[in-house]
């Protein structure tokens, strides 16, 4: 019988982001971020990711003129800013060894271009990280998770401007100096590859400002180059400030399979995977792959690479590779005529062998093992799954949530990670996405829930904000307590693992 191969120090944990959890958007001197203008759009199909994510100049204007929190739900989040102590106590009770959070750049630098940081913002993260340590929780900290200052978008064209590199690295240096005493693991940019999926949120590019597709694409590549450079400078600073700091890149793993053995399908899938890896390739190998340079040349895309940029990319590469994993997809030369499903910002041909979530994302635990093996063979660096989970509608009945589907999802995914470890892959940890329910990044819904802990709040921000432990809470607690051994015991009804009732 299979047993647990998880290492003793495996970082079982959870993950959230400041902009989806903290709320308190106008408290403690915080400035407006791109997340504060993200709108809840009930009239738009939740599977239409392009429209859900899109932020137009008119929407920015509208958002800046209102204090409304109902249709701008990331402004209230789950009020983690005021409730973090209770939430950390719950995470501790679950046995979580790590928690991935992000720092809101706008709490420290409200506009992004200030010289001195905002003291209240600095103090908040001191309290948060200290409290995490007191709860025996290892902080995994993302410096930029879809929450750049809006001011930099409006006044500097976001990351297209070279000046933003300096502003970001100044912010990063302040964070590293203040918090390296609590934090060992840092991620520079969340899902850096999402630049093309939602450029506004990732690099502050408002596509309407550009004359056409080609110009916008060039701007996005320029912004991306600036993030790569900023990430390497941050790595350099991190090592200088405390040589024990470990820096990771962070990518969305969107694994693609060919639909058939037709070599044309195989080639398409390979192309997709290669493009998906491009971002981590730069951050691990310290250089642009030739195919990207060829593409720029062919399309006449000019990216301004300053003297010294290539050296810095080469010298300061990452210590580990972290990634999010939610789904896999299918590539086919005939995909135009085929049934499609939604996904983490991408649509795909439907895979007949896989179930889909209520939001249309294809659930593929084996795909996680395939990704781990593939990535380890490619990078030979420790891997960290820093996001993964299932967004579902949870029903509260008699004060309880029986989320056996979530238990099933994680059981299958954890088992595949165990198999990957058994086959020689080095995996540092697994921080499940939205370990407590938070506002959805793409749709701004509260009803798309990922957590082991339910938050009493609906899509219009109505509710008590009370926290309720779901069945999965007790199950995950058992998984961590046994370091995965319980995955190989017959569990059956999740109520049976509820040791606390
Ligand atoms: C990832 C993001 O792409 O997916 C998270 O890093 C996000 O911020 C997660 O929340 C799940 O997506 P969604 O849209 O269901 O919240």
């Amino acid at each position: 019988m299979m047993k647990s191969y998880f290492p003793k120090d495996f970082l079982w944990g959870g993950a959230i982001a400041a902009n989806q959890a903290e709320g308190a958007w106008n408290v403690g001197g915080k400035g407006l971020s791109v997340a504060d203008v993200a709108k809840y759009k009930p009239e738009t199909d939740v599977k239409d990711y392009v429209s859900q994510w899109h932020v137009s100049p008119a929407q920015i204007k509208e958002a800046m003129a209102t204090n409304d929190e109902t249709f701008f739900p990331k402004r209230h989040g789950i009020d983690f800013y005021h409730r973090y102590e209770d939430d950390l106590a719950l995470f501790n009770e679950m046995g979580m060894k790590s928690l991935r959070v992000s720092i809101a750049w706008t709490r420290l630098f409200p506009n992004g271009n200030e010289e001195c940081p905002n003291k209240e913002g600095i103090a908040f993260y001191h309290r948060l990280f200290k409290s995490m340590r007191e709860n025996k929780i290892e902080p995994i900290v993302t410096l930029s998770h879809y929450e750049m200052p809006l001011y930099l978008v409006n006044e500097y064209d976001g990351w297209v401007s070279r000046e933003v590199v300096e502003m970001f690295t100044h912010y990063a240096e302040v964070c590293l100096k203040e918090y390296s005493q609590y934090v060992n693991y840092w991620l520079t940019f969340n899902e850096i590859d999402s630049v093309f999926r939602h450029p506004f949120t990732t690099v502050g590019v408002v596509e309407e400002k550009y004359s056409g597709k080609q110009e916008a694409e060039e701007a996005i590549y320029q912004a991306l180059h600036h993030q790569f450079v900023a990430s390497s400078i941050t790595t350099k600073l991190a090592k200088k400030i405390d040589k024990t700091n470990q820096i990771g890149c962070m990518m969305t793993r969107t694994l693609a399979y060919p639909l058939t053995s037709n070599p044309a399908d195989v080639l398409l899938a390979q192309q997709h995977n290669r493009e998906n890896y491009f971002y981590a390739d730069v951050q691990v190998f310290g250089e642009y792959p030739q195919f990207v340079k060829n593409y720029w040349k062919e399309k006449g895309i000019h990216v301004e690479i300053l003297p010294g940029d290539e050296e810095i990319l080469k010298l300061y590469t990452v210590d580990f590779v972290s990634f999010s994993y939610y789904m896999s997809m299918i590539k086919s030369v005939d995909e135009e005529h085929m049934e499609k499903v939604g996904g983490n910002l991408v649509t795909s041909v439907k895979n007949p062998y896989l179930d889909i979530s209520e939001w249309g994302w294809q659930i593929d635990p084996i795909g996680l093992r395939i990704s781990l093996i593939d990535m380890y063979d490619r990078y030979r660096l420790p891997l960290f799954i820093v996001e993964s989970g299932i967004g579902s509608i949870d029903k509260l009945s008699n004060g309880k949530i029986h989320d056996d589907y979530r238990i099933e999802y994680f059981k299958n995914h954890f088992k595949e990670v165990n198999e990957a470890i058994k086959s020689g892959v080095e995996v540092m940890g697994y921080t499940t996405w939205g370990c407590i329910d938070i506002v959805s990044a793409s749709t701004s819904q509260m009803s798309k829930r990922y957590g082991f802990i339910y938050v009493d709040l609906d899509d219009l921000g109505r509710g008590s904000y009370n926290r309720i432990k779901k069945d999965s809470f007790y199950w995950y607690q058992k998984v961590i307590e046994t370091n995965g051994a319980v995955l190989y015991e017959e569990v059956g009804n999740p109520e049976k693992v509820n040791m606390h009732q």
Side-chain angles (χ1 to χ4, degrees), residues 70-139:
T70 305
F71 285 93
F72 297 96
K74 288 175 186 160
R75 294 178 173 186
H76 59 67
I78 56 160
D79 196 28
F80 183 72
Y81 183 81
H82 294 111
R83 295 165 198 253
Y84 71 88
E85 284 190 336
D86 292 345
D87 291 340
L88 293 181
L90 284 169
F91 297 155
N92 175 318
E93 186 185 332
M94 231 190 313
M96 271 171 40
K97 311 261 185 247
S98 66
L99 176 67
R100 175 177 173 228
V101 293
S102 63
I103 297 177
W105 185 351
T106 49
R107 272 199 202 290
L108 270 53
F109 295 92
N111 285 337
N113 65 346
E114 297 86 348
E115 190 46 44
C116 297
N118 165 33
K119 289 200 174 92
E120 274 193 74
I122 294 278
F124 170 68
Y125 291 105
H126 269 285
R127 294 198 298 276
L128 176 65
F129 297 141
K130 189 160 176 280
S131 185
M132 282 167 80
R133 284 290 172 202
E134 285 162 3
N135 279 286
K136 300 188 183 57
I137 293 172
E138 180 81 44

Side-chain angles (χ1 to χ4, degrees), residues 6 23 28 39 71 89 95 97 101 121 156 168 172 189 315 323 394 402 430 435 452 468 473 499:
F6 291 99
K39 204 169 179 189
F71 285 93
K97 311 261 185 247
V101 293
Y156 290 83
F168 177 83
F189 295 96
L315 281 173
F323 65 103
D394 288 334
H402 301 302
Y430 194 136
C435 46
F452 302 120
I468 300 164
F473 177 100
M499 305 306 180

